[in-house]
Amino acid sequence: MARRGHLARAQARVSSPPAPPLLLASRSPQRRAILEQLAIPFEAVVPQYEEQVSGADPVAEVERHAQGKARSLVYLAGERPVRAVDTEVGLAGRVYGKPEDAADAERMLEALSGGTHEVVSGLCLLTPGWEELRHEATRVTFRALTPRELGYYLASEEWRGRAGGYAIQGLGGALVDRIEGDYLNVVGLPAALLVGLLAERFPGVYGFG
């Protein structure tokens, strides 16, 4: 039987005004799907920002891109929070972004084969009054891939538009031996980091905190 305090809090959540939708600076269907999964209201807008890979430290790279994407939409946001994410694959200090072609994807997957890399995401959340810039890293270990497996995956063309040349939520899941950390971060959005930040900055508004 629910106690009166629990019922009162539940009723307060139901009667509270709807949370303002986040302005999502992204064209990624994966990021939209994750926000829908978490029941976080949002409006997706393509950021007016051109990514340029500098080859810098992966954390600095993704934070810079996330910040640039978010700031590019401030003029549209009004009072709505703007949220942007950038995700890259890092190995031995090198950033592996989106492959330019099949040969580039093959080089990336060969480099990742049989070893452990990091999927690093930068997350920027900003409003007219403040800006938060954080990052999350998940360790992913690949199986030692055979030439046949590489050829099969490249032929699928799933590598197109994917950091590191693979999509863990698709056929790319078969390339992976294990992960350590936030799985959804590898898909494209550091969900645990975002939920914690919303709980900290907007306690109760989005159902967290």
Side-chain angles (χ1 to χ4, degrees):
M1 182 175 178
R3 286 181 288 183
R4 183 173 299 174
H6 293 162
L7 290 174
R9 285 194 292 272
Q11 291 169 352
R13 285 196 297 270
V14 171
S15 61
S16 61
L22 302 179
L23 195 63
L24 171 64
S26 177
R27 66 173 78 240
S28 165
Q30 289 78 31
R31 288 172 183 152
R32 293 198 298 268
I34 292 171
L35 289 182
E36 289 169 354
Q37 174 185 334
L38 299 174
I40 298 173
F42 69 94
E43 176 187 349
V45 179
V46 176
Q48 299 178 12
Y49 175 80
E50 184 176 349
E51 295 181 25
Q52 294 183 345
V53 177
S54 67
D57 172 74
V59 171
E61 190 93 320
V62 295
E63 287 188 346
R64 179 171 62 85
H65 288 326
Q67 186 179 60
K69 292 176 184 179
R71 289 182 176 181
S72 76
L73 297 183
V74 167
Y75 76 102
L76 285 176
E79 295 300 314
R80 292 175 295 175
V82 182
R83 198 234 66 188
V85 172
D86 186 69
T87 301
E88 304 287 0
V89 167
L91 176 65
R94 179 179 174 184
V95 174
Y96 291 80
K98 299 171 184 175
E100 296 180 358
D101 51 32
D104 194 25
E106 184 175 18
R107 284 191 292 270
M108 290 184 183
L109 293 172
E110 286 178 340
L112 302 180
S113 174
T116 299
H117 60 272
E118 284 194 329
V119 177
V120 185
S121 292
L123 185 152
C124 184
L125 184 67
L126 62 84
T127 71
W130 49 262
E131 176 180 278
E132 289 276 6
L133 186 60
R134 301 188 186 182
H135 70 273
E136 183 64 67
T138 302
R139 290 171 58 84
V140 180
T141 301
F142 267 23
R143 297 184 299 104
L145 307 177
T146 67
R148 180 180 298 166
E149 288 172 321
L150 278 172
Y152 178 76
Y153 190 71
L154 291 168
S156 76
E157 298 203 346
E158 187 180 75
W159 52 267
R160 292 188 182 277
R162 311 289 187 177
Y166 74 97
I168 196 171
Q169 72 275 19
L171 292 174
L175 311 179
V176 176
D177 179 58
R178 64 183 181 275
I179 72 168
E180 302 169 58
D182 184 354
Y183 168 81
L184 290 177
N185 183 44
V186 186
V187 177
L189 193 157
L193 180 63
L194 176 62
V195 167
L197 192 51
L198 291 176
E200 177 185 328
R201 284 291 190 170
F202 302 98
V205 174
Y206 292 95
F208 313 116

